[in-house]
Short mmCIF file of all heavy atoms in Angstrom, two decimals:
data_model
loop_
_atom_site.label_atom_id
_atom_site.label_comp_id
_atom_site.label_asym_id
_atom_site.label_seq_id
_atom_site.Cartn_x
_atom_site.Cartn_y
_atom_site.Cartn_z
N LEU A 38 -4.08 21.35 -2.17
CA LEU A 38 -5.05 20.88 -1.18
C LEU A 38 -5.88 19.73 -1.76
O LEU A 38 -6.13 18.72 -1.09
CB LEU A 38 -5.97 22.03 -0.74
CG LEU A 38 -7.08 21.67 0.24
CD1 LEU A 38 -6.51 21.18 1.57
CD2 LEU A 38 -8.01 22.86 0.46
N LEU A 63 -8.14 29.87 -0.09
CA LEU A 63 -8.16 28.49 0.42
C LEU A 63 -9.24 28.27 1.48
O LEU A 63 -9.51 27.13 1.85
CB LEU A 63 -6.80 28.16 1.06
CG LEU A 63 -5.68 27.74 0.11
CD1 LEU A 63 -4.38 27.62 0.88
CD2 LEU A 63 -6.02 26.43 -0.60
N LEU A 64 -9.87 29.35 1.94
CA LEU A 64 -10.78 29.22 3.07
C LEU A 64 -11.97 28.31 2.73
O LEU A 64 -12.22 27.33 3.43
CB LEU A 64 -11.25 30.60 3.54
CG LEU A 64 -12.11 30.62 4.79
CD1 LEU A 64 -11.38 30.02 5.98
CD2 LEU A 64 -12.54 32.06 5.12
N ALA A 65 -12.67 28.63 1.66
CA ALA A 65 -13.85 27.82 1.30
C ALA A 65 -13.46 26.40 0.90
O ALA A 65 -14.07 25.43 1.39
CB ALA A 65 -14.65 28.51 0.19
N PRO A 66 -12.42 26.22 0.06
CA PRO A 66 -12.03 24.84 -0.28
C PRO A 66 -11.62 24.02 0.95
O PRO A 66 -11.95 22.83 1.03
CB PRO A 66 -10.83 25.02 -1.22
CG PRO A 66 -10.94 26.39 -1.75
CD PRO A 66 -11.67 27.21 -0.74
N LEU A 67 -10.94 24.64 1.90
CA LEU A 67 -10.53 23.91 3.10
C LEU A 67 -11.75 23.55 3.95
O LEU A 67 -11.88 22.41 4.42
CB LEU A 67 -9.52 24.74 3.90
CG LEU A 67 -9.03 24.14 5.21
CD1 LEU A 67 -8.51 22.72 5.02
CD2 LEU A 67 -7.94 25.02 5.84
N ARG A 68 -12.66 24.49 4.13
CA ARG A 68 -13.91 24.19 4.84
C ARG A 68 -14.64 23.03 4.19
O ARG A 68 -15.12 22.12 4.88
CB ARG A 68 -14.83 25.41 4.81
CG ARG A 68 -14.56 26.42 5.87
CD ARG A 68 -15.91 26.93 6.44
NE ARG A 68 -15.69 27.75 7.61
CZ ARG A 68 -15.65 29.07 7.58
NH1 ARG A 68 -15.82 29.73 6.45
NH2 ARG A 68 -15.44 29.73 8.70
N ASP A 69 -14.71 23.05 2.85
CA ASP A 69 -15.43 22.00 2.12
C ASP A 69 -14.78 20.65 2.34
O ASP A 69 -15.46 19.66 2.57
CB ASP A 69 -15.46 22.30 0.61
CG ASP A 69 -16.36 23.49 0.28
OD1 ASP A 69 -17.12 23.92 1.17
OD2 ASP A 69 -16.27 23.99 -0.86
N ARG A 70 -13.45 20.60 2.28
CA ARG A 70 -12.77 19.31 2.45
C ARG A 70 -12.96 18.78 3.87
O ARG A 70 -13.16 17.59 4.08
CB ARG A 70 -11.28 19.43 2.10
CG ARG A 70 -11.11 19.49 0.59
CD ARG A 70 -10.10 18.56 0.02
NE ARG A 70 -10.13 17.19 0.45
CZ ARG A 70 -9.11 16.36 0.34
NH1 ARG A 70 -7.98 16.79 -0.17
NH2 ARG A 70 -9.20 15.11 0.72
N LEU A 71 -12.88 19.67 4.84
CA LEU A 71 -13.09 19.24 6.23
C LEU A 71 -14.52 18.75 6.42
O LEU A 71 -14.76 17.71 7.05
CB LEU A 71 -12.77 20.39 7.20
CG LEU A 71 -11.29 20.77 7.31
CD1 LEU A 71 -11.13 22.10 8.04
CD2 LEU A 71 -10.49 19.67 8.02
N ALA A 72 -15.48 19.46 5.84
CA ALA A 72 -16.88 19.06 5.97
C ALA A 72 -17.12 17.70 5.30
O ALA A 72 -17.97 16.92 5.73
CB ALA A 72 -17.79 20.12 5.35
N ALA A 73 -16.33 17.41 4.26
CA ALA A 73 -16.46 16.14 3.55
C ALA A 73 -15.70 15.01 4.25
O ALA A 73 -15.68 13.88 3.76
CB ALA A 73 -15.96 16.30 2.12
N ILE A 102 -10.43 32.52 12.30
CA ILE A 102 -11.68 32.03 11.72
C ILE A 102 -11.87 30.55 12.06
O ILE A 102 -11.01 29.72 11.75
CB ILE A 102 -11.67 32.20 10.19
CG1 ILE A 102 -11.49 33.69 9.83
CG2 ILE A 102 -12.94 31.64 9.57
CD1 ILE A 102 -11.26 33.92 8.35
N PRO A 103 -13.00 30.18 12.69
CA PRO A 103 -13.23 28.77 13.02
C PRO A 103 -13.64 27.96 11.78
O PRO A 103 -14.54 28.35 11.05
CB PRO A 103 -14.37 28.82 14.04
CG PRO A 103 -15.07 30.10 13.78
CD PRO A 103 -14.09 31.05 13.16
N LEU A 104 -12.97 26.83 11.57
CA LEU A 104 -13.25 25.97 10.41
C LEU A 104 -14.24 24.86 10.76
O LEU A 104 -14.64 24.10 9.89
CB LEU A 104 -11.95 25.38 9.87
CG LEU A 104 -10.91 26.41 9.40
CD1 LEU A 104 -9.60 25.70 9.06
CD2 LEU A 104 -11.42 27.17 8.18
N SER A 105 -14.59 24.75 12.04
CA SER A 105 -15.67 23.86 12.49
C SER A 105 -15.45 22.38 12.16
O SER A 105 -16.36 21.70 11.70
CB SER A 105 -17.02 24.31 11.92
OG SER A 105 -17.30 25.62 12.35
#
Side-chain angles (χ1 to χ4, degrees):
L38 177 63
L63 278 173
L64 186 59
L67 177 52
R68 276 222 171 97
D69 290 348
R70 284 230 47 200
L71 290 167
I102 301 172
L104 299 172
S105 301

